[in-house]
């Protein structure tokens, strides 16, 4: 696979025209991630404007609520035909299982291609010190393992986790979960608000299927060149 196809570019703007311009500039990536900020500013119409260009969309809304609400919210998003979607694994088995059942049933009924449903484990902005304040016993790695096994049990397609936990997730899980890794910074890049980070080459070598990269590509004067350099580093 072309290394660029393993990169998911996080769109960090709420300006649809700017987002569209970026997708035209670097269309040959694995997908473009649209999150809460963009969705709250532009809604489903904004997502549809970008998906209509034919590029793959990673709709990263990190659903987390009671099972009925999450299942309904995801079902309401399926007509946007995203490539990937996210739910928080901490929502529990019932929420995750109900979501998967609703997604499969709706996509079959509407003849839609089923998106990959990814479970969010522990955000890359959180470290062991944060765990203490949250009252969670153990290390981040322990929690990621527990949540990865929950993702398996609920038959999710994949997991969003820090590159720091890739090796242990591979070791501790039996199914081939698709591993999507945020918190990627090229050599010498700024850390920003991420804590558990890794370089692209390290993450790929440790088992990541997709790397989510935002500001190192979108926040520079020449995104096309930045993407090229990162792909070389992989």
């Amino acid at each position: 696979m072309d290394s660029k196809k393993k990169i998911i570019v996080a769109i960090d703007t709420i300006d649809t025209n700017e987002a569209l311009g970026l997708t035209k500039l670097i269309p040959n990536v694995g997908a473009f991630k649209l999150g809460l900020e963009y969705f709250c500013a532009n809604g489903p119409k904004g997502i549809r404007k970008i998906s209509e260009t034919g590029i793959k969309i990673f709709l990263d809304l990190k659903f987390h609520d009671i099972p009925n609400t999450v299942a309904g919210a995801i079902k309401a998003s399926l007509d946007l035909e995203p490539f990937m979607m996210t739910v928080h694994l901490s929502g529990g088995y019932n929420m995750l299982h109900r979501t998967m059942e609703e997604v499969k049933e709706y996509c079959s009924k509407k003849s839609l291609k089923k998106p990959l449903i990814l479970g969010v484990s522990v955000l890359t902005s959180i470290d062991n010190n944060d765990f203490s304040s949250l009252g969670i016993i153990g290390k981040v790695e322990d929690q990621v393992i527990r949540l990865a096994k929950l993702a398996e049990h609920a038959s999710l397609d994949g997991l969003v986790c820090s590159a720091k936990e890739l090796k242990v997730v591979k070791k501790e899980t039996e199914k081939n979960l698709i591993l999507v890794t945020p918190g990627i910074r090229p050599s010498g890049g700024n850390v920003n608000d991420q804590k558990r980070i890794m370089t692209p080459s390290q993450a790929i070598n440790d088992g990541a299927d997709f790397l989510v990269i935002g500001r190192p590509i979108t926040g520079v004067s020449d995104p096309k060149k930045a993407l090229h350099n990162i792909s070389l580093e992989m």
Side-chain angles (χ1 to χ4, degrees):
M1 181 189 291
D2 180 354
S3 57
K4 292 186 180 70
K5 294 297 184 182
K6 293 190 174 188
I7 295 175
I8 296 173
V9 177
I11 294 180
D12 296 318
T13 178
I14 62 172
D15 186 317
T16 298
N17 288 330
E18 186 178 341
L20 286 169
L22 185 65
T23 65
K24 291 177 182 177
L25 183 64
I26 49 173
N28 56 334
V29 295
F32 286 87
K33 183 176 84 71
L34 295 170
L36 275 173
E37 188 175 3
Y38 182 87
F39 187 81
C40 288
N42 299 286
K45 289 183 179 179
I47 302 291
R48 186 171 283 109
K49 283 183 180 179
I50 295 180
S51 67
E52 284 175 349
T53 65
I55 63 167
K56 291 182 178 179
I57 297 293
F58 175 15
L59 187 57
D60 185 26
L61 301 182
K62 298 182 177 71
F63 292 107
H64 187 180
D65 212 308
I66 62 173
N68 190 57
T69 298
V70 170
I74 283 196
K75 188 164 70 172
S77 307
L78 292 174
D79 286 330
L80 297 172
E81 299 187 67
F83 171 52
M84 296 174 167
M85 300 180 74
T86 49
V87 293
H88 266 292
L89 290 168
S90 54
Y93 175 79
N94 288 336
M95 185 197 86
L96 302 171
H97 179 71
R98 173 74 184 278
T99 294
M100 293 303 293
E101 291 299 307
E102 290 283 354
V103 168
K104 291 174 184 175
E105 181 181 341
Y106 189 83
C107 289
S108 176
K109 181 180 178 181
K110 296 287 186 176
S111 298
L112 297 172
K113 185 174 182 179
K114 187 186 82 65
L116 298 172
I117 305 298
L118 308 175
V120 177
S121 57
V122 178
L123 300 176
T124 50
S125 58
I126 290 177
D127 60 14
N128 288 321
N129 292 328
D130 295 306
F131 261 28
S132 298
S133 65
L134 291 170
I136 300 175
I137 298 173
K139 298 179 179 180
V140 168
E141 181 179 289
D142 300 326
Q143 180 70 351
V144 171
I145 292 170
R146 285 191 288 265
L147 293 173
K149 290 181 177 179
L150 177 59
E152 278 191 304
H153 183 46
S155 299
L156 266 66
D157 299 297
L159 184 77
V160 180
C161 69
S162 159
K164 297 289 186 181
E165 290 89 46
L166 285 168
K167 284 185 176 180
V168 72
V169 167
K170 285 280 190 182
K171 179 181 177 181
E172 296 290 339
T173 55
E174 297 178 0
K175 297 180 181 177
N176 291 321
L177 292 170
I178 295 167
L179 299 180
V180 177
T181 305
I184 299 298
R185 291 293 182 268
S187 301
N190 292 326
V191 172
N192 299 114
D193 57 354
Q194 307 284 359
K195 294 180 180 178
R196 296 172 7 261
I197 64 171
M198 191 173 281
T199 64
S201 59
Q202 288 175 305
I204 291 296
N205 288 337
D206 285 352
D209 295 294
F210 293 95
L211 309 180
V212 179
I213 305 175
R215 283 165 283 194
I217 294 174
T218 63
V220 299
S221 58
D222 191 344
K224 193 171 184 178
K225 182 179 179 180
L227 173 65
H228 176 70
N229 289 339
I230 290 172
S231 69
L232 290 178
E233 188 176 330
M234 294 164 62

